Amino acid sequence: MRHISSALYRYAFHSAALCTMLYVAAPLHVVAAAESVGTRKANVQEAPFLTTTLSNATPYVGEEITIHYTLYFQEIAPKIVRESQPSMQGLWAQASNPDRFINSKSVQFKGKAYRSAVIKSYRVAPLQSGQLPIDGYTMHYVLSENEGEGEKSITAPSVAITARPLPQPIPQGYSGAVGTFATELKASA
């Protein structure tokens, strides 16, 4: 059996059965981080904070990307009480269902040791071109050993997607597929 390796087709994929024009954007990883707010006494852990990560900050209209909200904390994991959903005007969005128990891992962030966990993810696709802000995701929490302190909240940093229109003129035979696609072909001799 002869194996032809996977290939990423940019702009056009042709075969005897299929002739479709595809628009592809190169992935771009963007991270924004909120600084902890308030003053803390020495030898007390810093307040938890959130980061916002986009899989691509400049997708084409209709191209699906992902948004991840990551929680960073030290020592004591905050107990999430509730969340306020982000504003995503001009975007189709679907939240991924989180696991009941969120796994955290040890990481370094700006030279300090933290635990981190992705607490919320969205699949998003721009419905229009232009600047599309994403803001307002807020996590309300209590620290498990200090539940008497009351509920606190942190808001993730705002980000913006610059959605690009599809190139004009739209090619004949274009079926509406937008994104990055991989294909693999195997043939026996």
Side-chain angles (χ1 to χ4, degrees):
M1 177 178 273
R2 204 170 92 191
H3 178 76
I4 300 173
S5 66
S6 298
L8 177 65
Y9 290 87
R10 225 176 145 77
Y11 299 113
F13 167 77
H14 298 282
S15 77
L18 175 69
C19 181
T20 304
M21 185 62 82
L22 304 175
Y23 294 106
V24 182
L28 173 68
H29 198 68
V30 177
V31 177
E35 297 295 327
S36 55
V37 179
T39 57
R40 296 283 179 186
K41 296 177 184 174
N43 71 12
V44 174
Q45 78 171 11
E46 290 182 25
F49 62 92
L50 295 168
T51 62
T52 305
T53 307
L54 299 174
S55 62
N56 183 353
T58 57
Y60 283 103
V61 171
E63 181 180 3
E64 188 175 294
I65 64 169
T66 57
I67 301 170
H68 296 292
Y69 293 105
T70 305
L71 173 66
Y72 288 80
F73 60 93
Q74 294 178 327
E75 297 174 24
I76 303 167
K79 179 181 175 186
I80 301 171
V81 177
R82 60 190 164 86
E83 301 167 291
S84 300
Q85 302 309 313
S87 169
M88 296 190 202
Q89 293 184 352
L91 298 165
W92 168 87
Q94 181 176 10
S96 299
N97 291 330
D99 294 331
R100 181 177 163 96
F101 298 102
I102 301 170
N103 292 326
S104 65
K105 60 183 178 182
S106 295
V107 296
Q108 289 285 319
F109 187 83
K110 294 187 178 181
K112 291 187 180 181
Y114 290 96
R115 305 260 336 142
S116 75
V118 174
I119 58 169
K120 192 72 161 186
S121 294
Y122 289 90
R123 292 176 31 222
V124 174
L127 300 173
Q128 63 193 44
S129 60
Q131 283 286 108
L132 304 172
I134 301 169
D135 56 12
Y137 177 79
T138 303
M139 182 191 88
H140 304 272
Y141 69 95
V142 293
L143 293 175
S144 55
E145 70 179 34
N146 296 326
E147 290 186 33
E149 286 185 21
E151 187 177 298
K152 297 179 181 183
S153 64
I154 48 177
T155 300
S158 298
V159 293
I161 293 173
T162 303
R164 298 179 287 169
L166 295 175
Q168 297 295 326
I170 295 175
Q172 189 175 22
Y174 172 67
S175 65
V178 180
T180 302
F181 300 87
T183 185
E184 186 174 312
L185 179 65
K186 293 181 181 180
S188 58

